[in-house]
Coordinates of all heavy atoms in Angstrom, one line a residue:
D66 N 75.9 -66.0 -137.6 CA 74.8 -66.1 -138.6 C 73.6 -65.3 -138.1 O 72.6 -66.0 -137.6 CB 74.5 -67.6 -138.8 CG 73.8 -67.9 -140.1 OD1 73.9 -67.1 -141.0 OD2 73.1 -69.0 -140.2
T86 N 77.3 -63.7 -141.4 CA 76.6 -64.2 -142.6 C 75.1 -63.9 -142.4 O 74.6 -63.9 -141.3 CB 76.8 -65.7 -142.8 OG1 76.4 -66.4 -141.6 CG2 78.3 -66.1 -143.0
T87 N 74.5 -63.7 -143.5 CA 73.0 -63.5 -143.5 C 72.4 -64.3 -144.6 O 73.1 -64.8 -145.5 CB 72.7 -62.0 -143.7 OG1 73.0 -61.6 -145.0 CG2 73.4 -61.1 -142.7
N88 N 71.1 -64.4 -144.5 CA 70.3 -65.0 -145.6 C 69.0 -64.2 -145.6 O 68.7 -63.4 -144.6 CB 70.1 -66.5 -145.5 CG 69.3 -66.9 -144.3 OD1 68.4 -66.2 -143.8 ND2 69.7 -68.1 -143.7
T90 N 66.0 -64.9 -144.9 CA 65.1 -65.2 -143.7 C 65.7 -64.4 -142.5 O 64.9 -63.8 -141.7 CB 65.1 -66.7 -143.4 OG1 64.7 -67.4 -144.6 CG2 64.1 -67.0 -142.3
I91 N 67.0 -64.5 -142.3 CA 67.6 -63.8 -141.2 C 67.3 -62.2 -141.3 O 67.0 -61.6 -140.3 CB 69.1 -64.1 -141.2 CG1 69.4 -65.5 -140.7 CG2 69.9 -63.0 -140.4 CD1 70.8 -66.0 -140.8
Q119 N 73.1 -62.8 -149.4 CA 72.6 -63.7 -150.4 C 71.7 -63.0 -151.5 O 70.9 -62.1 -151.1 CB 71.7 -64.8 -149.7 CG 71.4 -66.0 -150.5 CD 70.9 -67.1 -149.7 OE1 71.3 -67.3 -148.5 NE2 70.0 -67.9 -150.2
K146 N 76.5 -64.6 -151.6 CA 76.0 -66.0 -151.4 C 75.0 -66.3 -152.5 O 74.1 -65.6 -152.8 CB 75.3 -66.1 -150.1 CG 76.2 -66.1 -148.8 CD 75.4 -66.1 -147.6 CE 74.7 -67.4 -147.3 NZ 74.0 -67.4 -146.1
T170 N 75.8 -71.5 -151.6 CA 75.0 -71.8 -150.4 C 73.8 -72.8 -150.7 O 73.6 -73.2 -151.9 CB 74.5 -70.5 -149.7 OG1 74.0 -70.8 -148.4 CG2 73.4 -69.8 -150.6
Y192 N 74.3 -77.3 -145.2 CA 73.4 -77.0 -144.1 C 73.4 -78.2 -143.2 O 72.6 -79.1 -143.3 CB 72.0 -76.7 -144.7 CG 71.9 -75.3 -145.3 CD1 72.9 -74.4 -145.4 CD2 70.6 -74.9 -145.8 CE1 72.8 -73.2 -146.0 CE2 70.5 -73.7 -146.4 CZ 71.5 -72.8 -146.5 OH 71.4 -71.6 -147.1
N194 N 72.6 -78.9 -139.8 CA 71.4 -79.3 -139.1 C 70.2 -79.7 -139.9 O 69.5 -80.6 -139.6 CB 71.0 -78.3 -138.0 CG 70.2 -78.9 -136.9 OD1 70.6 -79.8 -136.3 ND2 68.9 -78.4 -136.8
R195 N 70.0 -79.0 -141.0 CA 68.9 -79.3 -141.9 C 69.1 -80.7 -142.5 O 68.2 -81.5 -142.7 CB 68.8 -78.3 -143.0 CG 68.3 -76.9 -142.5 CD 67.9 -76.0 -143.6 NE 67.8 -74.6 -143.2 CZ 67.2 -73.7 -143.9 NH1 66.7 -73.9 -145.0 NH2 67.2 -72.4 -143.4
A226 N 77.1 -74.3 -142.3 CA 76.0 -73.4 -141.7 C 74.9 -74.3 -141.2 O 74.9 -75.5 -141.4 CB 75.5 -72.5 -142.8
S227 N 73.9 -73.7 -140.5 CA 72.7 -74.4 -140.0 C 73.2 -75.4 -138.9 O 73.4 -76.6 -139.1 CB 72.0 -75.2 -141.1 OG 70.9 -75.9 -140.5
F228 N 73.3 -74.8 -137.7 CA 73.7 -75.6 -136.5 C 72.7 -75.5 -135.4 O 72.1 -74.4 -135.2 CB 75.0 -75.1 -135.9 CG 76.2 -75.4 -136.8 CD1 76.8 -74.4 -137.6 CD2 76.7 -76.7 -136.9 CE1 77.8 -74.7 -138.4 CE2 77.8 -76.9 -137.7 CZ 78.4 -76.0 -138.5
T246 N 79.5 -71.0 -139.5 CA 78.7 -69.8 -139.1 C 77.5 -70.3 -138.3 O 76.8 -71.3 -138.7 CB 78.3 -69.0 -140.3 OG1 77.6 -67.8 -139.8 CG2 77.4 -69.7 -141.3
Ligands
G3P242 O1 72.2 -69.4 -144.2 C1 72.0 -70.8 -143.9 C2 71.7 -71.0 -142.5 O2 71.6 -69.8 -141.8 C3 70.5 -71.9 -142.3 O3 70.4 -72.1 -140.9 O4 69.2 -72.6 -138.8 O5 67.9 -71.8 -140.8 O6 68.9 -74.1 -140.8 P1 69.0 -72.7 -140.3

Side-chain angles (χ1 to χ4, degrees):
D66 201 21
T86 58
T87 64
N88 63 35
T90 308
I91 285 172
Q119 191 166 327
K146 288 176 69 180
T170 193
Y192 285 1
N194 198 59
R195 292 191 194 194
S227 177
F228 290 102
T246 184

